């Protein structure tokens, strides 16, 4: 099996995102992830396929040296579903934005998650419509002033992780565009997951929504305002690694290790495989500055997949069917002899 390098997955097309756009870093993360995925899963280059809808993120198939399909607005999940069901051996990656996936494509998105189709969905979340020049999106914060909300939005925003878990999602991870290594690791974990995997990437739009996540992702506060979760490890964070999460009644609470009798043994240990989504839901809902924003793989549980079920159902029907060819089909049911 050939060992691939990132450049094997980069096309020769000129990348036409704005200078400073977070999409550049995400592209680098994907290029780094795919060789690792190919080696881990013994996949050849020809098995990778990228599908997109409309938006800045959706230019992705042009920049990948893989099979690709640039679809229409909001329909990437439907197209990706068809690709996967038609050819289950492919590693199908859907690239979408918060507008493409959660507004016009919202219905397709939740049903792809609900069906647990073996897709890898990369959801770029910049909380704005960038390609169409700055309208508010389904994830824009309440009250934000944009070109379509000059007096501030009056709509409550979606939280992608909450939607995924609410749709009975089996895999959800969150990363940030500038952390290429963490994003790469989330993508590799997504590829290894059998079922719908959603990786939300908090991505900065330098033109229309610059520094929207700065209040918790700025380098000066990031260590105190985010927590990178790892399976089997205590949920600790902070510049001095002295803060942690504990269960407090029906919610989570931040505590300081060493104060008020709190020890490392009191800190909650992350379990991505926990079937009950309760703690996972609490993690995806944490918001700065009161709580750290959760990054990394948050949920990864096993369940049967739609594409496997379709395959098994067709095999079973073929075995049981008394009809094995066209002649058998034409002679089946009620027939008449015309003289």
């Amino acid at each position: 099996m050939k060992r691939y390098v990132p450049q094997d997955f980069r096309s020769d097309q000129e990348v036409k995102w704005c200078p400073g756009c977070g999409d550049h870093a995400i592209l680098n993360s994907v290029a780094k992830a795919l060789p690792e995925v190919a080696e881990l899963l013994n996949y050849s280059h020809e098995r990778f396929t990228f599908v997109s809808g409309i938006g800045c993120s959706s230019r992705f198939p042009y920049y990948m040296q893989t099979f690709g399909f640039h679809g229409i607005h909001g329909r990437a999940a439907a197209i990706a579903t068809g690709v996967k069901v038609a050819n289950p051996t492919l590693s199908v990656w859907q690239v979408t934005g918060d507008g493409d996936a959660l507004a016009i494509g919202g219905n397709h998105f939740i049903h792809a998650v609900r069906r647990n189709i073996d897709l890898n969905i990369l959801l770029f979340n910049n909380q704005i419509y960038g390609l169409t020049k700055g309208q508010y999106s389904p994830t824009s914060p309440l009250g934000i002033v944009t070109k379509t909300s000059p007096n501030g939005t009056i709509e409550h925003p979606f939280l992608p992780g909450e939607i995924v878990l609410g749709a009975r999602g089996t895999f959800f991870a969150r990363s940030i565009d500038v952390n290429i290594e963490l994003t790469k690791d989330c993508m590799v974990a997504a590829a290894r997951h059998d079922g719908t995997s959603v990786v939300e990437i908090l991505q900065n739009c330098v033109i229309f929504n610059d520094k929207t996540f700065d209040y918790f992702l700025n380098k000066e506060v990031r260590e105190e305002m985010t927590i990178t979760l790892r399976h089997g490890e205590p949920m600790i964070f902070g510049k001095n690694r002295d803060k942690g999460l504990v269960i407090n009644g029906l919610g989570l609470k931040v505590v300081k290790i060493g104060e008020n009798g709190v020890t490392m043994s009191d800190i909650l240990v992350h379990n991505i495989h926990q079937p009950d989504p309760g703690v996972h839901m609490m993690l995806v809902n944490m918001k700065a500055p009161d709580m750290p924003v959760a990054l990394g793989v948050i949920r990864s549980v096993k369940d049967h997949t739609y594409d496997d079920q379709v395959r098994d159902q067709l095999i079973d029907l073929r075995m049981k069917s008394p009809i094995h060819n066209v002649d058998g089909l034409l002679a089946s049911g009620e027939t008449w002899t015309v003289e």
Side-chain angles (χ1 to χ4, degrees):
M1 186 73 175
K2 177 182 175 180
R3 295 197 66 175
Y4 298 105
V5 296
Q7 198 55 40
D8 290 324
F9 294 95
R10 298 287 294 266
S11 77
D12 60 359
Q13 297 299 299
E14 179 185 356
V15 179
K16 295 184 178 180
W17 289 313
C18 301
C21 175
D23 289 358
H24 293 280
I26 300 173
L27 180 61
N28 288 335
S29 297
V30 173
K32 289 186 67 175
L34 294 190
E36 192 169 329
V37 171
E39 185 171 357
L40 284 170
L41 302 181
N42 198 30
Y43 283 179
S44 63
H45 186 280
E46 293 75 19
R47 291 182 69 171
F48 292 94
T49 301
F50 279 75
V51 177
S52 69
I54 295 296
C56 294
S57 63
S58 297
R59 294 173 177 171
F60 227 83
Y62 297 104
Y63 306 145
M64 300 301 301
Q65 187 59 35
T66 64
F67 291 117
F69 194 106
H70 191 172
I72 59 176
H73 203 191
R75 304 305 186 255
I79 296 167
T81 296
V83 170
K84 184 65 181 183
V85 172
N87 190 345
T89 66
L90 293 177
S91 177
V92 182
W93 297 72
Q94 177 191 336
V95 183
T96 186
D98 47 298
D100 185 58
L102 303 178
I104 188 172
N107 195 47
H108 295 296
F109 177 80
I110 60 172
H111 289 295
V113 173
R114 176 183 66 84
R115 291 173 176 136
N116 201 33
I117 303 158
D118 191 20
L119 304 174
N120 307 300
I121 301 175
L122 306 182
L123 200 168
F124 299 11
N125 183 6
N126 56 19
Q127 298 185 341
I128 202 77
Y129 279 98
L131 185 70
T132 50
K133 309 301 182 284
Q135 300 87 353
Y136 71 89
S137 83
T139 60
S140 296
L142 180 67
I144 188 174
V145 174
T146 72
K147 290 183 177 178
T148 48
S149 58
N151 298 310
T153 65
I154 54 174
E155 299 179 12
H156 291 286
F158 274 146
L159 195 64
E162 192 173 44
I163 295 174
V164 171
L165 269 59
R168 303 181 63 85
T170 56
F171 184 101
F172 179 75
R174 184 190 286 136
S175 188
I176 57 178
D177 52 9
V178 294
N179 193 333
I180 292 176
E181 197 63 24
L182 177 62
T183 305
K184 185 264 293 181
D185 289 345
C186 289
M187 291 175 182
V188 172
R192 298 180 70 174
H193 178 73
D194 190 19
T196 304
S197 62
V198 178
V199 180
E200 177 193 16
I201 307 161
L202 305 180
Q203 175 253 329
N204 192 45
C205 175
V206 293
I207 304 300
F208 297 107
N209 205 21
D210 193 23
K211 299 180 180 179
T212 185
F213 302 114
D214 212 41
Y215 68 102
F216 66 90
L217 289 184
N218 184 285
K219 287 184 179 180
E220 295 179 1
V221 300
R222 189 182 304 166
E223 290 179 298
E224 297 292 325
M225 294 291 184
T226 65
I227 180 170
T228 300
L229 302 168
R230 293 181 175 84
H231 177 65
E233 296 185 10
M235 299 183 189
I236 60 175
F237 68 102
K239 190 173 183 178
N240 299 316
R241 305 290 289 168
D242 60 349
K243 295 179 180 178
L245 299 177
V246 298
I247 294 289
N248 181 42
L250 298 178
L252 296 176
K253 178 183 177 181
V254 174
V255 295
K256 192 164 184 178
I257 301 167
E259 290 186 357
N260 301 317
V262 175
T263 67
M264 186 65 76
S265 62
D266 297 313
I267 304 303
L268 196 62
V269 174
H270 188 39
N271 181 4
I272 62 175
H273 304 311
Q274 175 62 42
D276 188 310
V279 173
H280 298 158
M281 184 67 84
M282 286 189 277
L283 290 170
V284 301
N285 275 303
M286 292 193 305
K287 297 181 180 70
D290 298 323
M291 299 288 286
V293 174
L295 304 175
V297 178
I298 295 173
R299 180 172 177 82
S300 180
V301 297
K302 291 184 178 181
D303 203 347
H304 68 260
T305 66
Y306 180 85
D307 34 301
D308 283 350
Q309 293 291 98
V310 169
R311 178 203 61 206
D312 293 346
Q313 188 177 68
L314 289 175
I315 291 172
D316 184 58
L317 289 171
R318 289 192 191 106
M319 292 179 64
K320 293 179 179 178
S321 177
I323 301 169
H324 301 289
N325 51 45
V326 174
D327 288 342
L329 176 65
L330 295 175
S332 65
E334 297 182 8
T335 59
W336 295 268
T337 300
V338 179
E339 297 180 354

